[in-house]
Each structure stands twice: as C-alpha cells, then as structure tokens.
Amino acid sequence: MEAVTLFELQSSLKEGLADLFPERIRVRAELASVQVKAGGHCYIELSQSDSRGVIAKARAVIWRSIYPQIAGAFRQATGSDLKPGISILALCQVNYSELYGLSLIISDIEPELTLGEAELRKRATIARLEKEGLMDAQSQLDLPALPRNLAVISARDAAGYGDFCRHLETNEWGFSFSLTLYEALMQGESAPESVAAAISRIEDECAEGLAGPYDAILIMRGGGSVLDLACFDEWLMCAAIARCSIPVMTAIGHDRDVHVADMVACVSVKTPTALADALIDAFALEDERLSQFGTRLRMAFNNRLAEMERSVDRLQHRVLQAFAGKLLLQESYLDRMAERLRAADPRSVLARGYALVSDASGVVRASAAGFSQGDALDVRFPDGKVQCIVKNVDYGK
C-alpha cells in the first residue's frame, strides 16, 4: 500500500469537506465556552450531549469584524449574552486547516433558539420553587453568628474540599472547627439524588441523636464546565436544600457561576476557599469585638478609678480643712484656758501686791479666824516667804 504524507492527508480532507459543504450550513449546538480575546475575535467551543454525556465537540470563531453585531443582535432578541449553557442555531462555514484541523466560521446566530436545555431546566426549577414557596425558605432560618460544628457535603478527594480544609485549619488566629464529611457525587446525572440523600441522612442522624447538632450544612465544589455544574440547577437537589431544617451554605464553582442551589441556600459564596474565609472572618470579627469590649471595659474601669481617686482627694481635702478648722478652735480654746489658768495662778495674784498666808501645816488661810497667839504661819510674797509667829489676833479691825 502506497503511503501519503500527513499534509497530503490533511489536504485531501480539506478538499473533501469543501466539496461536501460548499455552502454555509446551519448548526445547532450548545455553547460550552465563550472567550472574547483582546484582539476582538470571539472563540467558542461547541458541544452536544445526550444521556451518555458529551458526544461531540468542535471549535468555532466569530471574527471581530462581525462579532459586535452578532452579539448585540442576540442580546436584543433574547435578553441574554452569548454564554456557556446556551443552545444556539448558527450559520457556519465549515473550515479545515492542515495545521489546526476542523473549525466552524460563524457568520450569524439565529435568535429563535435562545437557551440550551440546561438553562431551560434551570428556569423551570426556579419557577417551581417559586410556585411552591421554597425560594426563600432557607433565608428564614437563623444561622448562628459563630458556626463551628459543620456537616460538609462533598467528594472526599475533591480539590475544592481539600483547599477548604487546609484554609480552615491553617487560619492565623488558630480558631478550631468541627467538620463531619458526608460524601456525595458532585457532578453528573446522579449528583442531585446523591446530594439530596446526604442532606436527608444528616437530618435523620441529628433527629436520632447520632450526630450533630450541626450549626450549618456546607455544600461545596470547585470549578468546572457549565455542563459539569448543571446538576446544581436540578429540582431534586435544590428542593432538598430549600426544605432542609438546618441552614445550608453553598460554595459552588468559580466567580462567574450562579446556580439555583446558591439562590435557595441560606448563605452562598463563590468558592470553597471563600467559604472558609467567611467562617474564619466571623470568628475574627467576634474576637475583635470582644477585644474592643475588653479595651472599653478597661478604659471604663480606669476612668471610674480615676474619678474615685479624685473623689477621695476632694474628701481628703475637705477632711483636712475641717480638721484644721477644728484644730484652730481647740487651739483658741486652749489659749483661753491657759489665760484663765495664768490669771488664777497664785503667783499672778501675789504679783499684784497680795500675800498668801498658810498655817504651820501648810494649809492656806484666808481668814484671821482660827489663829491664836503664838501660832506659826508662813507669809508668801512674790519674791520669797516669811515665817511669822502670831503675836495678837484682832477681829473686825
């Protein structure tokens, strides 16, 4: 058998496709990814799925010369941007390159087919939840300010779950959390039933006292394609979340992803790491609040102590003033008493020209009565004492 070169093979395929599709054709497919490059070209990955999963993929491009018109017309007609998950009906030119293989050059997108099957199911789920009054059921639950005892629904080996655990365990404050993993499928057709079963198991174990009580249930999954994450828009899972008696916190996909599971949950954040941050921040804020409370308490105590010290100082000042006043009064009283004592001092009397007479036994005699001739007596003057003998006693003279 004669061999052909790769270029010859590719050239033959190119010619064959050109002969097979000489005109533009209408292709129905789902947008798996949409990227608008800095140069203005829009690069698209088209896909088709059935019950087996993805069964076909192809690369497509909308050149920058027509992309704004196509995107604007699509948005105006459907109210939606070109984004993953939307099924489109595109007018394409089949193109084959010896270097890059098959690609489709899109020249127009017909707006009649606006949303892919996944988006239609998502809208149907939202409508049913709203009809049954379940959209806001979780928002009525009281999530503890400091959720610590947590039930986690995830695949054990999922990267997002691993990132969440590491981030939580290595927090700089050293806060500790209690995590209990309930394994479930997190993508594919069986994921909604698996997650709903995990929620039911958690509630049953809590009711029977076998686990919990849990402050919250965490449902988390890292990023993935739109088709991988479509399960989080399914009715079975979303209804189980909405009806759960325990607050549910979700962290599903990347920043660009918003799922019905997020919409019905009590709390929703973008990624598992962001969920870990939210839990840590709750404790950090409480720790800061308590620290500030302690600071305010110390300040209040110090202010109260300073006021008490000022009161004691004022009281001490008043006591000292009162004591000084009382002391002055006592000193004045003592001065008067001293003056009176000095006035009553016999020496003061003698100094005024009087004399003090006492008998031989030393008894002061203030009268001539009782003296007899020959009695001895002492007469005291300011400058000395004279001993005398009574010569005669005359009364009334």
Side-chain angles (χ1 to χ4, degrees):
M1 180 180 296
E2 184 179 355
V4 297
T5 66
L6 177 60
F7 180 78
E8 289 173 337
L9 175 62
Q10 297 284 63
S11 297
S12 298
L13 290 173
K14 181 177 181 179
E15 292 174 2
L17 285 172
D19 292 339
L20 186 59
F21 301 105
E23 305 290 337
R24 291 179 297 178
I25 60 173
R26 298 165 74 224
V27 177
R28 177 176 178 172
E30 189 170 272
L31 298 178
S33 68
V34 179
Q35 291 184 327
V36 180
K37 297 296 185 178
H41 303 307
C42 179
Y43 293 92
I44 295 172
E45 183 181 70
L46 299 174
S47 68
Q48 181 181 344
S49 303
D50 63 10
S51 59
R52 296 167 294 176
V54 177
I55 58 175
K57 286 186 177 182
R59 291 180 294 106
V61 62
I62 306 174
W63 301 124
R64 66 181 180 185
S65 59
I66 60 172
Y67 172 70
Q69 292 84 356
I70 292 177
F74 186 85
R75 187 183 307 110
Q76 183 176 5
T78 65
S80 174
D81 292 323
L82 292 171
K83 60 183 180 180
I86 293 178
S87 291
I88 63 170
L89 190 61
L91 185 62
C92 305
Q93 178 66 56
V94 178
N95 180 67
Y96 195 88
S97 166
E98 289 87 347
L99 286 176
Y100 304 110
L102 178 69
S103 64
L104 302 176
I105 310 299
I106 298 176
S107 58
D108 195 11
I109 296 177
E110 299 179 13
E112 290 80 9
L113 189 64
T114 57
L115 299 171
E117 294 180 359
E119 183 68 17
L120 291 174
R121 287 196 300 270
K122 179 177 180 178
R123 291 194 174 191
T125 298
I126 293 173
R128 185 174 175 184
L129 289 167
E130 290 176 341
K131 182 179 179 180
E132 297 189 15
L134 294 175
M135 284 296 293
D136 299 322
Q138 273 278 315
S139 65
Q140 308 303 315
L141 301 180
D142 292 326
L143 178 68
L146 299 175
R148 181 182 175 277
N149 197 21
L150 308 168
V152 181
I153 298 177
S154 175
R156 182 178 295 275
D157 57 353
Y161 172 63
D163 292 342
F164 169 82
C165 291
R166 284 189 295 273
H167 204 67
L168 210 61
E169 292 168 0
T170 59
N171 71 87
E172 60 181 299
W173 293 275
F175 300 134
S176 62
F177 298 85
S178 175
L179 304 179
T180 303
L181 176 64
Y182 291 81
E183 291 190 73
L185 298 174
M186 303 307 286
Q187 71 178 57
E189 292 184 357
S190 300
E193 182 179 358
S194 181
V195 172
I199 292 174
S200 178
R201 178 186 167 194
I202 292 170
E203 290 194 286
D204 289 344
E205 289 184 0
C206 289
E208 296 171 6
L210 301 177
Y214 295 116
D215 297 322
I217 296 174
L218 313 184
I219 300 176
M220 64 184 68
R221 188 197 190 283
S225 70
V226 172
L227 298 178
D228 290 338
L229 301 178
C231 59
F232 294 98
D233 296 320
E234 294 294 332
W235 158 258
L236 181 62
M237 182 191 299
C238 297
I241 292 172
R243 290 172 176 152
C244 184
S245 60
I246 303 170
V248 176
M249 306 175 75
T250 60
I252 302 165
H254 298 300
D255 289 348
R256 66 177 183 272
D257 301 314
V258 178
H259 300 278
V260 181
D262 298 322
M263 298 166 64
V264 298
C266 182
V267 174
S268 172
V269 297
K270 295 299 184 182
T271 65
T273 300
L275 182 54
D277 283 334
L279 295 170
I280 294 169
D281 288 347
F283 281 80
L285 288 173
E286 180 65 11
D287 185 66
E288 181 180 358
R289 189 187 71 83
L290 291 176
S291 177
Q292 292 176 350
F293 178 76
T295 300
R296 292 197 299 269
L297 187 62
R298 285 193 296 272
M299 290 177 61
F301 177 78
N302 290 336
N303 290 339
R304 181 60 176 166
L305 183 61
E307 179 60 31
M308 293 176 67
E309 289 176 346
R310 288 192 292 269
S311 296
V312 170
D313 290 341
R314 291 193 295 268
L315 180 61
Q316 183 182 27
H317 181 69
R318 290 197 297 270
V319 168
L320 290 175
Q321 284 186 322
F323 180 77
K326 186 68 173 176
L327 187 59
L328 288 174
L329 290 175
Q330 292 297 321
E331 288 177 347
S332 177
Y333 174 75
L334 290 175
D335 289 342
R336 292 194 301 272
M337 291 300 295
E339 184 64 31
R340 292 172 61 185
L341 287 174
R342 283 194 296 271
D345 188 347
R347 289 172 295 183
S348 298
V349 177
L350 295 177
R352 294 199 299 270
Y354 296 94
L356 183 64
V357 178
S358 58
D359 59 20
S361 61
V363 176
V364 175
R365 306 293 291 270
S367 173
F371 281 106
S372 300
Q373 185 179 4
D375 290 340
L377 56 85
D378 293 332
V379 179
R380 184 177 294 276
F381 298 95
D383 56 351
K385 182 173 67 172
V386 176
Q387 294 180 338
C388 304
I389 298 297
V390 177
K391 181 179 179 181
N392 187 34
V393 181
D394 292 327
Y395 297 101
K397 293 185 179 180

